[in-house]
Amino acid sequence: MKGLMLFLCVIWGFNFVIMKLGNDVFPPVLFAAYRFLLGALVLFGITLLRKIPLPGKRELKWYILCGLLQTTYFNIAIQISLNYISAGLTSVLTYSMPLFLSLMAHYFIPGEKLNAKKTGGILIGIFGLFLAMDISIGGNIWASVLALSSAIIWALSNLIFKKKLQGCDAVQFTTWQMAIGAIGLFLFSITFESGQSHWSLMAVVYLLYSGVLASALAFVIWSHILSKMEASKASISLLIVPIVGTLSGVIFLKEELNTITLVGIIFVLLGVWLVNYNGSIRMPLKNHSLLAGRKGKYRRDRA
């Protein structure tokens, strides 16, 4: 599961580079709409091949809600924020989601209570993320609040999945919430956006990566991980995503990497380790007593 989580973080982290390049050739929300439409179409094909049934009425209402929250609102909030504050600050605020999800899970999901180690790991990870992005808030407080709201909405959507949709098919859930969210994005783009799309081979490559890998595949993986792991452990690991995005920007976009960013990366990794580390392996008391008995018997036999 940890390897799958790392794979997901790499896909989503590198997608920061792809989104930045994609926004040069498409209006931002329209690019997100194309991305999720493509992802939904791929997943609809998979549901047909796997003969996954249509969702029931109970599931469908939650799929619609998650689609409007996790796909439509989440991406609109990010794109608007990017127009007024830096990409670094936007990503920091967006990926503060683990803090909100862990707090929600503490109160609403049995067996996922926060302890001192998890709380400390989350706070260290968030602090490291601020250092890694080397940002300052500046004057557009409302845009920062909007970006922060994307993290809260994402956390709420994940909580709904954990509470109401446990046991549902991850492909079915991802397909329908993504399709519904894409419709919302198209409606917003048609109503409020201006600008033209500049189609080219690279524009298609950006859409294929964002739509197939970073949307269809990645969100199926995330839903699967979230169904198998504690919410706090799964979500804190996502703090690696903007770290991968930062390093990808350095490598592919020639962005600057300074000392404070490296220190921040170390803090993020430390926070992830603290939340996921289960402590040293101890021998159960029963086995210990059995081993002691065998040693005693061995000594008597030797005597």
Side-chain angles (χ1 to χ4, degrees):
M1 194 63 67
K2 291 180 180 178
L4 199 60
M5 189 74 225
L6 181 60
F7 178 64
L8 175 65
C9 290
V10 170
I11 291 177
W12 273 344
F14 185 68
N15 196 47
F16 276 104
V17 172
I18 299 298
M19 284 191 295
K20 190 168 185 177
L21 295 171
N23 286 347
D24 291 335
V25 294
F26 296 101
V29 176
L30 182 60
F31 177 70
Y34 281 139
R35 164 191 173 185
F36 287 105
L37 175 63
L38 178 59
L41 290 175
V42 170
L43 290 175
F44 272 123
I46 293 174
T47 60
L48 289 174
L49 289 174
R50 290 180 51 185
K51 298 181 179 179
I52 297 174
L54 296 175
K57 290 182 179 180
R58 190 193 75 85
E59 293 86 7
L60 185 59
K61 63 181 180 182
W62 296 115
Y63 291 0
I64 293 172
L65 180 59
C66 288
L68 294 176
L69 294 176
Q70 182 171 295
T71 300
T72 302
Y73 181 87
F74 177 79
N75 284 280
I76 290 172
I78 291 175
Q79 296 296 347
I80 293 176
S81 299
L82 282 170
N83 290 329
Y84 297 94
I85 57 177
S86 69
L89 179 55
T90 303
S91 61
V92 167
L93 294 173
T94 299
Y95 279 89
S96 66
M97 183 276 289
L99 178 59
F100 296 107
L101 180 57
S102 298
L103 290 173
M104 292 177 186
H106 176 77
Y107 290 104
F108 296 107
I109 301 179
E112 296 207 15
K113 298 293 183 182
L114 287 175
N115 54 32
K117 181 170 71 68
K118 286 183 181 179
T119 302
I122 290 169
L123 294 177
I124 288 172
I126 295 294
F127 173 71
L129 206 49
F130 272 97
L131 286 179
M133 296 304 168
D134 191 20
I135 48 84
S136 59
I137 290 180
N140 294 300
I141 299 298
W142 69 268
S144 299
V145 172
L146 185 62
L148 189 64
S149 73
S150 71
I152 297 171
I153 290 299
W154 189 11
L156 179 61
S157 299
N158 288 329
L159 180 69
I160 291 171
F161 180 82
K162 291 285 286 186
K163 286 284 290 183
K164 301 295 185 180
L165 295 170
Q166 282 287 16
C168 76
D169 188 281
V171 175
Q172 183 192 73
F173 166 75
T174 306
T175 302
W176 284 88
Q177 73 88 13
M178 195 172 288
I180 292 161
I183 293 171
L185 289 168
F186 273 114
L187 290 175
F188 182 92
S189 180
I190 292 169
T191 305
F192 297 105
E193 276 195 317
S194 59
Q196 296 182 344
S197 301
H198 302 282
W199 289 95
S200 65
L201 177 60
M202 290 310 299
V204 173
V205 171
Y206 301 152
L207 282 174
L208 286 174
Y209 183 94
S210 287
V212 178
L213 286 180
S215 297
L217 177 61
F219 277 100
V220 168
I221 292 174
W222 171 242
S223 298
H224 174 72
I225 290 172
L226 196 60
S227 68
K228 301 295 183 182
M229 291 178 65
E230 290 183 23
S232 58
K233 287 187 176 182
S235 61
I236 189 65
S237 299
L238 290 180
L239 291 178
I240 297 174
V241 172
I243 298 303
V244 175
T246 300
L247 297 177
S248 298
V250 171
I251 297 171
F252 295 98
L253 300 177
K254 308 304 180 183
E255 296 177 347
E256 185 180 352
L257 179 64
N258 54 34
T259 303
I260 195 169
T261 298
L262 289 174
V263 173
I265 290 173
I266 293 172
F267 272 101
V268 169
L269 296 177
L270 175 61
V272 172
W273 179 79
L274 281 173
V275 171
N276 287 279
Y277 179 61
N278 293 320
S280 59
I281 300 174
R282 295 183 180 181
M283 185 181 297
L285 182 61
K286 181 178 178 181
N287 291 344
H288 179 76
S289 300
L290 180 62
L291 182 58
R294 287 177 177 174
K295 286 182 178 179
K297 183 177 182 300
Y298 175 74
R299 293 192 187 99
R300 288 195 297 273
D301 292 342
R302 288 285 303 270

